[in-house]
Amino acid sequence: MATFAVPTLWDERGGFSMTIGLDGLECHSALQTGVEVSITDGVPLSKAWYGWWPEYKEDFPYISVSPGDVIDAYVVSTSATTGSVIMVNLSTGNISSVTPTTSESYPLCGRNAEWLVEAVLKDGTPTTLGNFSTARFTDAIACGPNFTYYGPTTGDISAIVQNETFLTFVNTAADNILIQYL
């Protein structure tokens, strides 16, 4: 789970997605949710989404998001091929939940949780990472077997590097993650 404010996209190139999820790094699948911010034909677009990567990504029903909105996001694995995803827009009071499933081809491994900012995919191809200034996850917590809690400081920290140039700086403390666009 995590709480975050949706950052503003400060340029018209590409976009970004604030994403939380289970697996993905060490597994060939991930149950994820997040908020995507991009500009298409000069028009800003913000949307909440969920997905079972690499199988599908869907827009969240019944919830809208805008830059500045504060979001609570939850991802729960109920088995290797089913889960629950909940998105709460604390700024508007909207709540939406779905129960995604996947085929046996993309089961979860149960190895890691993720909190990240990434470039938006358009037609399956990554776009340029847009300038989001600062993104912050708070209350970033994962619960493992026997109610063991994990936070971002116990995991791997990765900045985004493109053409040997750092695009982001990442800092963690307890259950918080700060990601700055450089």
Side-chain angles (χ1 to χ4, degrees), residues 119-135:
V120 173
L121 292 176
K122 287 197 179 183
D123 301 320
T125 303
T127 62
T128 301
L129 181 68
N131 180 351
F132 56 86
S133 186
T134 300

Side-chain angles (χ1 to χ4, degrees), residues 21-162:
L22 299 174
D23 286 333
L25 182 63
E26 298 175 3
C27 193
H28 297 290
S29 66
L31 178 57
Q32 300 175 317
T33 190
V35 171
E36 181 179 295
V37 180
S38 62
I39 295 179
T40 302
D41 298 325
V43 178
L45 172 67
S46 302
K47 63 181 180 176
W49 61 272
Y50 68 94
W52 206 298
W53 178 84
E55 202 165 31
Y56 61 87
K57 180 178 173 182
E58 303 280 337
D59 291 349
F60 239 113
Y62 315 114
I63 195 163
S64 60
V65 295
S66 298
D69 287 355
V70 178
I71 305 296
D72 270 352
Y74 304 84
V75 177
V76 178
S77 167
T78 53
S79 77
T81 57
T82 60
S84 294
V85 181
I86 302 164
M87 179 82 59
V88 181
N89 186 328
L90 298 172
S91 300
T92 64
N94 289 343
I95 301 171
S96 188
S97 65
V98 293
T99 306
T101 60
T102 189
S103 66
E104 294 295 325
S105 301
Y106 300 105
L108 294 175
C109 303
R111 292 193 186 132
N112 63 324
E114 58 188 11
W115 303 273
L116 54 101
V117 174
E118 59 188 346
V120 173
L121 292 176
K122 287 197 179 183
D123 301 320
T125 303
T127 62
T128 301
L129 181 68
N131 180 351
F132 56 86
S133 186
T134 300
R136 181 184 312 269
F137 292 98
T138 60
D139 301 322
I141 301 169
C143 180
N146 302 317
F147 299 101
T148 304
Y149 290 93
Y150 301 93
T153 58
T154 61
D156 296 325
I157 308 299
S158 300
I160 298 175
V161 179
Q162 185 177 23

